[in-house]
């Protein structure tokens, strides 16, 4: 990050679901590396999808440079000492090519009728995973623990957050911060909250890596061969189709925002009690028409609980449209201080999107000096 608060580079990551067959996930990860992506993330929800840590070993074996990790794991369904051992083992086998995205717990917890952990528990989990997977001794349940076989292991821990208190935690103890939406106004607000918290904690705000994650679907201005008049991608899919394929994301974000609104209130200047930044109205207004959320459809295109998500919201939260629109948004995010954009591939154009980013989007951003070689 530069002295002005902008990122000095923009990495690209990809977020995959571990749907069977697992070898398809490995293949997508391999292709992502060939197209210049630096990170391969996966969902971590053990009942909805296959076990990611097993698949990470195969991804790392099939690639040379990419860093792998969950977006995101949680301390409720996985004991944090086991999580740390998993990362340390992968690091020992393949070099330090792991990152731990972590949050309070969402789909992995909800489908079992469980509850997310508290922020205090999340804070403890961050320090425990980072310490154990970083060759250090940690205090855990009254005992001093360490992994004697992993002195050289290193795994940074990035905290996923939306609300003011979670954003503050990310700035205080996270090696990185994950925001799962790409609206520039909300990104700016969130980064400012994280940086302020880091500074209050006596940290250099530039030490906290900023990652924005959202679906990306590349279309083209060429009319389809079936009589359509709107933008399409190389597979002939319309812009309207691309919006429908990404609408699930608004539902997922809306589910998190609804909890934040319940705790802090809706709109600017409300509900924080003076201990953090207010919630921007752009983040709360769109959930007014939200209905109950079924976690069995979590992260899936065609989710039936997303009718309240408008195309306008998708334009704000996601990257949908021709390549130049993606380039423009990526440069805007970088100027705000984003260090990595991780694109979700939960739609029907996985291969086309990776190819478009590798051949069109990334080179255009790279030409402007924005993407690391």
């Amino acid at each position: 990050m530069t002295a002005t608060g902008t990122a000095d580079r923009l990495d690209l990551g990809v977020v995959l679901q571990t749907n069977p067959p697992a070898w398809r996930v490995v293949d997508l990860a391999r292709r992502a590396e060939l197209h210049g992506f630096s990170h391969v993330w996966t969902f971590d929800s053990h009942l909805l999808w296959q076990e990611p840590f097993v698949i990470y070993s195969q991804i790392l074996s099939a690639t040379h440079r990419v860093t792998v990790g969950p977006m995101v794991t949680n301390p409720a369904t996985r004991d944090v000492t086991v999580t740390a051992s998993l990362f340390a083992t992968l690091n020992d086998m393949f070099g330090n090519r792991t990152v731990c995205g972590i949050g309070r717990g969402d789909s992995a917890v909800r489908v079992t009728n469980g509850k997310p952990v508290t922020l205090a528990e999340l804070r403890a989990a961050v320090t425990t995973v980072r310490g154990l997977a970083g060759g250090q001794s940690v205090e855990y349940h009254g005992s001093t623990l360490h992994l004697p076989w992993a002195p050289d292991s290193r795994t940074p821990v990035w905290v996923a957050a939306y609300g003011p208190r979670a954003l503050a935690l990310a700035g205080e103890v996270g090696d990185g911060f994950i925001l799962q939406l790409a609206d520039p106004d909300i990104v700016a607000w969130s980064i400012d909250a994280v940086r302020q918290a880091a500074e209050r904690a006596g940290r250099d705000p530039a030490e906290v890596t900023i990652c924005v994650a959202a679906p990306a679907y590349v279309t083209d201005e060429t009319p389809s061969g079936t009589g359509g008049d709107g933008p399409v991608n190389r597979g002939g899919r319309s812009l309207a189709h691309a919006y429908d394929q990404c609408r699930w994301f608004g539902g997922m974000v809306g589910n998190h925002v609804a909890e934040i609104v319940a705790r802090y209130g809706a709109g600017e200047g409300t509900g924080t009690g003076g201990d953090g930044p207010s919630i921007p109205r752009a983040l709360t207004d769109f959930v007014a028409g939200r209905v109950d959320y079924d976690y069995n459809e979590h992260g899936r295109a065609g989710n039936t609980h997303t009718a309240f998500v408008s195309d306008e919201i998708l334009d704000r939260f996601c990257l949908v449209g021709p390549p130049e629109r993606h380039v423009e948004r990526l440069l805007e995010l970088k100027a705000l201080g984003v260090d990595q954009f991780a694109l979700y591939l939960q739609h029907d154009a996985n291969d086309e999107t990776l190819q478009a980013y590798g051949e069109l989007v990334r080179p255009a951003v790279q030409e402007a000096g924005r993407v690391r070689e």
Side-chain angles (χ1 to χ4, degrees), residues 41-44 53 56 68-73 87 99-102 178:
W41 304 86
T42 73
F43 284 53
D44 180 13
F53 281 89
Y56 294 157
V68 303
M71 187 176 286
V72 296
T73 193
F87 283 119
V99 59
C100 178
I102 195 168
I178 297 171

Side-chain angles (χ1 to χ4, degrees), residues 63-112:
T63 57
H64 303 282
R65 299 180 305 278
V66 293
T67 296
V68 303
M71 187 176 286
V72 296
T73 193
N74 72 85
T77 56
R78 295 187 187 274
D79 181 275
V80 291
T81 63
V82 176
T83 300
S85 181
L86 287 166
F87 283 119
T89 301
L90 291 172
N91 289 338
D92 183 63
M93 294 175 68
F94 300 102
N96 291 325
R97 294 168 56 198
T98 62
V99 59
C100 178
I102 195 168
R104 295 177 56 221
D106 188 36
S107 61
V109 176
R110 305 287 191 180
V111 295
T112 62

Side-chain angles (χ1 to χ4, degrees), residues 134-159:
Q136 302 173 3
S137 296
V138 302
E139 296 300 314
Y140 182 76
H141 293 177
S143 298
T144 301
L145 307 179
H146 75 291
L147 301 175
W149 45 267
D152 298 322
S153 173
R154 300 292 184 271
T155 295
V157 181
W158 297 7
V159 178

Side-chain angles (χ1 to χ4, degrees), residues 163-164 167-168 171 187-200 276-277:
L167 292 169
V187 169
W189 171 80
S190 301
I191 292 176
D192 183 62
V194 170
R195 287 177 175 167
Q196 286 187 33
E199 190 168 1
R200 289 194 302 270

Side-chain angles (χ1 to χ4, degrees), residues 351-364:
D351 295 310
E352 295 93 335
T353 300
L354 283 178
Q355 183 176 357
Y357 261 71
E359 296 180 355
L360 301 173
V361 177
R362 184 177 182 274

Side-chain angles (χ1 to χ4, degrees), residues 297-353:
E297 294 186 332
H298 184 68
R300 301 184 188 278
N303 188 319
T304 58
H305 299 81
T306 59
F308 71 96
V309 182
S310 67
D311 290 353
E312 180 183 5
I313 285 295
L314 293 175
D315 271 331
R316 295 176 65 117
F317 286 9
C318 308
L319 277 67
V320 180
E324 56 268 25
R325 184 180 298 181
H326 291 249
V327 173
E328 180 182 4
R329 178 67 65 84
L330 290 175
L331 295 179
E332 186 175 7
L333 292 174
K334 180 197 171 294
L336 292 173
V338 175
D339 299 294
Q340 180 184 148
F341 175 69
L343 60 95
Y344 284 93
L345 278 187
Q346 283 64 62
H347 52 59
D348 62 359
N350 294 175
D351 295 310
E352 295 93 335
T353 300

